[in-house]
Amino acid sequence: MTQLHAKNIWFGIGVIALSALVPLSTNAQSVDLNARPAEFTAESAIVDTAIPFAIGASEARQSLRGAFGWPTFQEGLVEGVYFRFDPDGYARFSPNPRLDVDVFEVLCKARTKDCHARKAGLTVLLTARGQLQLAVEGVIAGDSFFLSEGVSEIQVPERVLQPLDVQLEHLLSSSLELVVRRGGEEVSRHSLRGFLAATAYLRWIANNQDYAVLPRDWPVPNGRQINDAQRLTQNATWQSPMPQPQVIAITSTPATSAPLQGEADRIEAQLEDLRGMLETLRSTPPSATDPTQPSPLPAQAIETTRLEQQLRDLAAEVQTLREANNSNSVAAGVSPTLPKAPPLASPPEVHEEDTRDRTTDKLAYLVEELGLDLRSAVAVLELAEGNTTDMFDPLAPREKQPNITVSSATMESAAAPQIAEDAVADELEPAPVHSGPQIVTVAEYTLLSDYFRSAVLPALQADMSSR
Amino acid sequence: MPRSSDKLQRRSPLWGGVLLCAAILVLGGASYSVGITARHVFLQQEDEVIPIIAGGALDDIPALMRGNLPSATLSLVEGQPKRGLTPRMCELPADYFERLDRGLDAAAGYTPHNAYVRKYRARRGFLTERELRAAKVAWHYFERFTQETTGLANSVGNYPSTTLWDTASYIAGLVSAYELCLIEKPEFDRRITRLLTTIKSLELFRMELPNKVYHTKTGAKVDYTNKPGEIGFSALDIGRFLVWLRICKNRYPYLANTIDSVLLKWDFSNAIDSEGLMFGAYVDKETGETVYAQEGRLGYEEYAAKGFALWGLRPLLAHRAEPFLTASIFGVQVPYDGRDPRVFHSQNYVVTESYLQDGMELGFDLPHDDITPDWLHSDGWRAEFADRIYQVQENRWRRTGFMTARSEHNVKGPPYFTYDTIFSDDYPWNTVTPRGDYVPDHAAVSAKAALGLWALWETEYTDVLFEAIIELYDPENGMFEGLYERGQGRVEIFTANNNGIILTALLHKVQGTILTPYLGETEVWYTAFRDQDIRLRRNYPDPPQKQDWLPALRHSVQEKADF
């Protein structure tokens, strides 16, 4: 009886509590008094509207009459579409200045740069890897996709709905409409006007408004932080996403040593790796090879023995020649102001005046500078003779390779195409003085380590295994 | 006979010359003698001296003494009695409205003095049960969302932030609630005193004028994110606030000293320039310096200008309609501001609100007018323009079926605020966000605009508007902002401005023009700091004289519909 009474009391309390809560919850549902935007906070601002998205864009003040809102926005015209965006990332792209028709609307999750663009059934997302991905409403398996540019159509594969590769992205950017067909009948048609601008905007804000992620030919304003008009003339401060030349133009002006020094160190490290690989080869026990197997290259072995003998004969002469060559190289026109090159770079700058046996020099280079043993050096030379067009010969005569006067710098730039272009490009102007028939391109340069891995190492391994 | 004819022939030329000379001599002598005589007569009279009486019209009173002058109003200049005060609704005689002169016989149009009689009259009478319920609900917004700590009311729901514009709406609600007998004097006094005390203690924007936004819980100046900071001042907001301070001061003389002390902290030196243009201020993002920019477009600008003029300032240019253009919409030449938005970077929104406020609060009258009846509007062109604003909205309803009562209003969710315009950016019926995006889905019948039109234009159309919005309320939170035009239902958000204007409209039905004449002699506002240079530095005015009045102007009237 007591328990029953207690239950009744608890039941009563529960009913009272419920009856007290129900009106509250009902009221809360009926009117959202927090409808006011918590979004208008500094934390929600993911875009700085003062940084122009494209040339001609400008920041403007919003016509606020109330107590809250975004104080500024940015508007402009790019790639044939007008745009406006707020500090929270919300943007509209439309061919109409009123931004009322054919609108690509960009919406971002609150306080994040997780944004997507949408336009009437078409949604464009940016994947974690920075690829664009389309989502089209009402599409089922088996539908076919066509891109129309106004006159003709081309069919695109179904993987248009997967993260887009560069080719598909360019194709979509240059098309006017995406048509979805099912069994030959058109299911939907989606305008792609503003696709390029909207997707560029997605990438731009995802990368903290970095101009480097904008497409080629994007009208990027110069000088993100420039306030003083005079600074506009300082091209060193220009920021451009445009690809910079990766092959440094040949010039008689010496390169700045500071940025090159780092590259030299990197190449030095690669050489160390190379030496390590050679050491590994050397340390390979002879038992690992099969003595029963006949030598695949007996003629080469004989030749190697002959060359070893020849090398020993000439060993004493090499040092003498090098000393003489060091003095000749300065006299041959290499600028005396050239900064001190790393050890690797010095031998290629030696220019022979006479026609001594270059094989000896190559061998000396391989042995003394790269640390190869004689056998390996000879093997390298043998193989190099058969593949001279693919490799860079640092000791090639100037008549055949006229553009290698500063070959050390060229090698380094080829090995490291992302070298600080801004600093170097300012000082290395194209030199029209070299008008030889053969222009050196980046394709002609190959890292020695890469070459070694691809060509020499298998041969050496084969050679070692044959012994 | 032949002899006499010879005589005549001989004498004729000589005689003529002699006669001429004699005549000249006689006339010259006579003129000289008359002149001399007249000179003697005039010189013998006493000099007439007009004595300059100290403080009189001819006395060039030094600044130190100008504060003692009475403000020259129409009643003082023309020697006519001032308009009387209308009692509170609960104190009105039952037959009050039967005896009320509504000028029903007066012909519509301009008078010789450029006053204007509108084609339609304002709605007058006691509040009905439904109207009284709407008033109570609207007042409930302020009961619920007024902060006890500061006495400030939130602009939007429970978001603790406000502007001077919305604070003026709160004062409007407070005055209306008192005059409609929803609250009694102790409650009114408690609230208004608390509010004025807080406003006096507000930290100003760079020692000049109130910041655009304040936190309602702390009274701290904040930015648009409600974080401590300052963003400038708004001349329009201040202008509306001045209107309501003047209404309070004139209606309740016991508040005069408190109100004057609030304003005597402010610095008006940058708010109005020598040409009479109003300027707002904002902070330059790069340099952090104060930038003063002309503020106000046709509609709002004149209303706010009259707010400044009510306190003796002289916004001469801001009060003029020029430059303005007209757009023909449904046969009505709708006036809009002629300043090019591309040049001035400010949109020329045409909405109903500022015309309603001018009509309800100021009676479309000039600031110095304290005698004309409610149906005669001494600021004639404002009333005539307001008639066009009303007519074009009725015409839209009649031609398209869309109920139309357009104003700026908040909306729930992005973009949170829209200018639901009659005309802007070269488009009629343009609904845009504060940054200019066209958002037609947010077009709505604004509750405050609908009830304001209902109060000032007693027509069949405004009856329809009334029916549309009078039940749009939440008893706990106030009147909803409006009714979406495209059928999305109510605009489910509650604001101080909407509820304040709705209360004003209901009060106007009972009492007519809200602004009443000042019944005192001089004011502390004009006499304070006469012994210092503060008045000069802060641009405090002298009591306005007749030559300081804003002019009564007229513009060409549209005779017939323009299609």
Side-chain angles (χ1 to χ4, degrees), chain A residues 31 33 39 63 65 84 98, chain B residues 158 416 419 430 437 474:
Chain A
V31 178
L33 292 176
E39 294 100 69
S63 301
R65 298 268 306 121
R84 290 194 195 111
R98 204 181 182 193
Chain B
N158 56 9
Y416 298 104
Y419 291 96
N430 196 10
D437 290 351
D474 178 336

Side-chain angles (χ1 to χ4, degrees), chain A residues 254-297:
Chain A
T256 307
S257 60
L260 297 181
Q261 189 60 46
E263 292 305 309
D265 293 343
R266 198 170 67 81
I267 292 172
E268 195 66 34
Q270 287 182 337
L271 281 171
E272 286 299 325
D273 293 344
L274 199 62
R275 289 191 182 101
M277 291 164 67
L278 283 169
E279 288 299 323
T280 309
L281 267 177
R282 285 174 191 158
S283 63
T284 305
S287 59
T289 60
D290 187 359
T292 62
Q293 291 294 324
S295 172
L297 296 169

Side-chain angles (χ1 to χ4, degrees), chain B residues 323-373:
Chain B
F324 78 95
L325 301 169
T326 57
S328 180
I329 307 171
F330 292 121
V332 178
Q333 291 289 331
V334 175
Y336 67 96
D337 199 287
R339 283 165 280 200
D340 192 335
R342 295 169 299 181
V343 176
F344 292 97
H345 306 292
S346 181
Q347 284 294 333
N348 42 15
Y349 308 114
V350 179
V351 293
T352 319
E353 185 165 328
S354 64
Y355 291 99
L356 295 180
Q357 285 158 337
D358 196 342
M360 294 188 297
E361 298 163 14
L362 307 176
F364 297 122
D365 285 336
L366 289 164
H368 58 264
D369 176 15
D370 55 355
I371 60 172
T372 57

Side-chain angles (χ1 to χ4, degrees), chain A residues 384-460:
Chain A
E385 284 176 4
N387 196 21
T388 49
T389 56
D390 292 335
M391 69 175 291
F392 167 65
D393 183 359
L395 298 179
R398 294 189 67 182
E399 297 80 37
K400 290 184 179 177
Q401 297 184 0
N403 292 335
I404 58 169
T405 310
V406 286
S407 55
S408 64
T410 311
M411 266 190 75
E412 287 159 2
S413 65
Q418 297 305 318
I419 196 167
E421 299 95 341
D422 289 344
V424 177
D426 287 344
E427 299 180 20
L428 298 182
E429 297 296 328
V433 292
H434 300 286
S435 55
Q438 192 176 4
I439 304 299
V440 178
T441 65
V442 68
E444 296 180 54
Y445 297 96
T446 307
L447 263 183
L448 188 57
S449 55
D450 294 341
Y451 165 73
F452 195 85
R453 283 194 189 95
S454 62
V456 180
L457 198 57
L460 281 175

Side-chain angles (χ1 to χ4, degrees), chain B residues 89-100:
Chain B
M89 187 173 74
C90 48
E91 297 165 1
L92 274 177
D95 62 344
Y96 177 82
F97 293 103
E98 295 166 12
R99 294 184 282 108
L100 188 66

